[in-house]
């Protein structure tokens, strides 16, 4: 192979590489999205995200033990109380997909058969039933 043909092949290879890099490089819009994703991930440091089934309960006697107006933490049920068997008392959580920035505090326990559930206290049984069951919900456990 002559020196000229090697130079021609090298030139074609470098030109192809440059064109390939230009065609398949991310656009400005894609770069911004990637940067937003990275900044979102960076802002999540120190937070724990877990998946739970979220249900509702009230202080009706058929949903609780023999002290429906006292939580397992020995407090009075009120809006913002959550029940969980896997999170310790006083754990603060957010459930953004269902409640936005509302912060709930674990102050109650559930029936032992529910291990991966979180129960949110509602003022009435009707409201708890209307809330329903929400499976595979991301829950943010606050530090």
């Amino acid at each position: 192979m002559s020196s000229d043909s090697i130079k021609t092949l090298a030139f074609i290879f470098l030109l192809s590489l440059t064109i390939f890099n230009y065609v398949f490089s991310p656009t400005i819009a894609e770069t911004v999205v990637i940067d937003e994703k990275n900044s979102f991930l960076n802002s999540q440091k120190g937070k724990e995200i877990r998946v739970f089934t979220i249900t509702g309960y009230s202080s009706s006697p058929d949903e609780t033990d023999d002290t429906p107006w006292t939580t397992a933490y020995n407090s009075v049920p009120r809006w913002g109380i959550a029940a969980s068997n896997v999170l310790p008392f006083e754990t603060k959580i957010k459930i953004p997909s269902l409640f936005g920035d509302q912060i709930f505090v674990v102050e109650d326990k559930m029936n032992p058969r529910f291990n991966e559930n979180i129960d949110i206290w509602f003022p009435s049984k009707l409201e708890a039933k209307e809330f329903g069951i929400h499976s595979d919900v991301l829950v943010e456990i606050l530090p």
Side-chain angles (χ1 to χ4, degrees), residues 10-130:
F11 175 76
I12 292 172
F13 175 75
L14 290 174
L15 182 62
S16 300
L17 192 59
T18 304
I19 292 170
F20 181 85
N21 190 30
Y22 177 77
V23 169
F24 292 103
S25 66
T27 65
I28 293 172
E30 290 170 332
T31 304
V32 170
V33 170
I34 290 168
D35 290 343
E36 286 175 5
K37 284 182 182 176
N38 288 337
S39 66
F40 169 76
L41 293 174
N42 290 335
S43 70
Q44 296 299 310
K45 289 179 183 173
K47 296 179 185 176
E48 182 182 350
I49 306 291
R50 293 181 56 186
V51 176
F52 288 95
T53 296
I54 309 297
T55 53
Y57 78 108
S58 67
S59 293
S60 62
D62 62 324
E63 294 181 72
T64 61
D65 61 13
D66 58 346
T67 57
W69 289 99
T70 305
T71 67
Y73 189 67
N74 205 26
S75 63
V76 176
R78 63 197 178 285
W79 180 247
I81 295 295
S84 172
N85 292 338
V86 295
L87 298 174
F89 287 136
E90 298 184 348
T91 300
K92 293 180 180 171
I93 61 171
K94 284 186 185 180
I95 311 168
S97 64
L98 299 175
F99 298 102
D101 285 333
Q102 168 76 44
I103 295 175
F104 295 92
V105 181
V106 175
E107 290 188 11
D108 214 349
K109 294 294 179 190
M110 302 174 69
N111 186 301
R113 71 178 181 259
F114 299 112
N115 285 326
E116 292 301 318
N117 290 34
I118 292 178
D119 236 354
I120 302 299
W121 184 85
F122 284 89
S124 73
K125 186 172 183 170
L126 178 63
E127 289 172 279
K129 282 184 119 176
E130 285 177 350

